[in-house]
Amino acid sequence: MKTKLFLLGALLTMTFASYAQPTTSWGPKLGINFTSYAPRAESFDVLTGLNAGLFLNHSINTNFGVTVEANYSQFGTRVQNGGNIERIHYIQIPVLAVYYFGQQGEAFRPKLFAGPYLGILAGSTDKGGNELSNGQQVFNTADVGGQIGAGFNFRIKRETWLNTDVRYIRGFGDITKEPSTSYQNAGVNINVGLSFPIR
């Protein structure tokens, strides 16, 4: 069901593209995550992690676009009791509908965006880098959720842009295989990237 919701959201955001003359760009991005579990508990604290990957942006017209990303993203939480951490490693694929303020040709373009993501589990580790397990996998193999955020694009030279954004990320379903608990991923990340045109 979660995968079907993700695919539906991705399809809806991508169908914009057939209605105007497109421009397409790509680039690398690097960011930092501040995450924990939802609902929050007294024993959980914010964990800092890495977010890095590539993006492909399809601008439908001067104000609307669709961005697809492929990121390695670290989620999880800091466990106050015992001072350990639970770090969850994902390959995360967001599909975002983007609204750009201003007009094409302007050097500074604020933006708002939102859309679904699919996270594919790549591993889970503790503070020492050891795999988290109790003789079996601790976390579900997929995580589906949503992202919403704001940022700006700043032209640093012709057709090359500096991209920055801040986004809130929230999972929709339980990430654990433990039947007695139910937690979702939640957090904020800050990203910086460079955008290059595709000819």
Side-chain angles (χ1 to χ4, degrees), residues 26-197:
W26 76 280
K29 60 186 288 285
L30 181 65
I32 186 168
N33 291 347
F34 304 95
T35 65
S36 189
Y37 298 153
R40 286 289 297 274
E42 289 185 5
S43 59
F44 297 151
D45 205 352
V46 173
L47 178 67
T48 303
L50 176 68
N51 181 57
L54 297 171
F55 64 87
L56 182 69
N57 181 70
H58 185 84
S59 294
I60 298 159
N61 57 39
T62 190
N63 293 114
F64 290 96
V66 175
T67 298
V68 180
E69 300 176 356
N71 303 318
Y72 164 70
S73 198
Q74 296 177 340
F75 278 69
T77 193
R78 186 174 299 278
V79 183
Q80 294 178 355
N81 297 336
N84 205 349
I85 67 171
E86 295 180 0
R87 190 181 300 281
I88 315 172
H89 308 263
Y90 288 103
I91 303 301
Q92 195 177 76
I93 305 170
V95 181
L96 306 169
V98 188
Y99 179 81
Y100 300 97
F101 294 89
Q103 298 299 315
Q104 192 170 9
E106 295 179 356
F108 181 77
R109 301 289 305 276
K111 61 186 177 183
L112 298 174
F113 57 87
Y117 74 82
L118 172 65
I120 302 168
L121 181 68
S124 57
T125 53
D126 63 15
K127 189 174 183 179
N130 304 304
E131 188 70 20
L132 291 172
S133 67
N134 294 317
Q136 59 184 3
Q137 189 170 303
V138 177
F139 297 99
N140 290 318
T141 56
D143 175 43
V144 174
Q147 300 188 2
I148 185 169
F152 66 85
N153 294 356
F154 179 75
R155 188 173 61 231
I156 56 178
K157 67 177 186 178
R158 188 172 183 267
E159 296 187 307
T160 301
W161 296 77
L162 175 70
N163 301 337
T164 69
D165 69 68
V166 178
R167 62 185 73 179
Y168 175 69
I169 303 170
R170 184 67 155 80
F172 297 152
D174 187 11
I175 60 172
T176 74
K177 287 187 172 292
E178 174 58 52
S180 62
T181 62
S182 179
Y183 295 118
Q184 295 84 45
N185 282 316
V188 172
N189 69 22
I190 302 170
N191 303 285
V192 177
L194 286 175
S195 175
F196 305 97

